[in-house]
């Protein structure tokens, strides 16, 4: 979101520490997770206010969400301003990944349905995820509906 008029505490924390986390939200926690986006005062704990538990890894300062089944810890690599809409693109390198073993398929793909990850559309519509299909690498020469 544009950060010119409204302070963005999350962004400020990322820049200050150089670290951040991405925590998948379980479908059972969407309401609590939704309210973490409220405009809290600097210094107020979103974790405490929304009923989540902070979890830490030694040598990594950004907090993880203990209740999350899939947690990623990232080190900020690049911060790119986007002039078109006044936003920024923060690029990070994954330095920690906590993923349940049963969610990793033989081909290395993550099965988000197994861990109950929620999906989001826009700012406030949440969905459960269901694996519908798996397809081979797409090649134009192999389009199944094309006549041979």
């Amino acid at each position: 979101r544009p950060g010119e008029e409204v302070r963005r505490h999350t962004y400020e924390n990322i820049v200050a520490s150089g670290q951040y986390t991405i925590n998948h939200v379980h479908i059972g926690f969407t309401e609590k997770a939704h309210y973490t986006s409220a405009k809290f005062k600097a210094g107020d704990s979103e974790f405490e206010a929304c009923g989540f538990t902070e979890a830490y890894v030694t040598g990594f300062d950004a907090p993880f969400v203990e209740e999350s089944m899939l947690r990623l810890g990232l080190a900020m690599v690049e911060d790119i301003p986007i002039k078109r809409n006044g936003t920024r693109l923060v690029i990070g390198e994954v330095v920690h990944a906590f993923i349940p073993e049963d969610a990793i398929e033989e081909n290395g793909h993550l099965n988000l349905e197994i861990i109950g990850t929620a999906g989001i559309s826009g700012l406030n519509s949440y969905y459960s995820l269901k694996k519908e299909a798996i397809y081979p690498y797409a090649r134009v020469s192999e389009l199944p509906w094309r006549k041979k």
Side-chain angles (χ1 to χ4, degrees):
R1 295 184 187 159
E4 303 278 325
E5 297 173 18
V6 178
R7 288 188 68 191
R8 301 294 177 197
H9 299 130
T10 299
Y11 172 74
E12 291 172 7
N13 292 339
I14 292 170
V15 171
S17 71
Q19 301 175 334
Y20 58 102
T21 65
I22 296 175
N23 301 271
H24 279 221
V25 174
H26 184 275
I27 195 69
F29 292 111
T30 57
E31 184 176 26
K32 287 181 176 184
H34 176 71
Y35 281 96
T36 65
S37 67
K39 292 181 179 20
F40 289 93
K41 294 178 185 172
D44 285 354
S45 171
E46 296 170 12
F47 285 88
E48 186 178 316
C50 295
F52 288 112
T53 308
E54 294 180 47
Y56 290 92
V57 172
T58 303
F60 192 82
D61 295 331
F64 294 89
V65 177
E66 181 69 32
E67 292 79 4
S68 174
M69 296 291 290
L70 197 159
R71 302 182 295 255
L72 303 173
L74 297 97
M76 187 174 82
V77 174
E78 197 168 352
D79 179 11
I80 303 168
I82 301 173
K83 294 177 187 175
R84 173 94 180 187
N85 61 3
T87 61
R88 307 189 75 80
L89 174 63
V90 175
I91 299 174
E93 175 184 2
V94 176
V95 294
H96 295 288
F98 302 98
I99 305 164
E101 284 187 35
D102 63 343
I104 303 172
E105 297 179 342
E106 286 183 26
N107 61 7
H109 293 179
L110 293 178
N111 186 324
L112 300 178
E113 181 180 8
I114 286 177
I115 57 175
T117 292
I120 187 168
S121 176
L123 296 175
N124 59 358
S125 296
Y126 297 85
Y127 298 86
S128 58
L129 300 178
K130 180 181 176 209
K131 184 177 181 179
E132 296 293 339
I134 187 165
Y135 300 107
Y137 182 82
R139 291 180 174 82
V140 173
S141 63
E142 298 174 358
L143 292 172
W145 50 86
R146 280 182 113 176
K147 294 182 182 180
K148 306 228 182 209

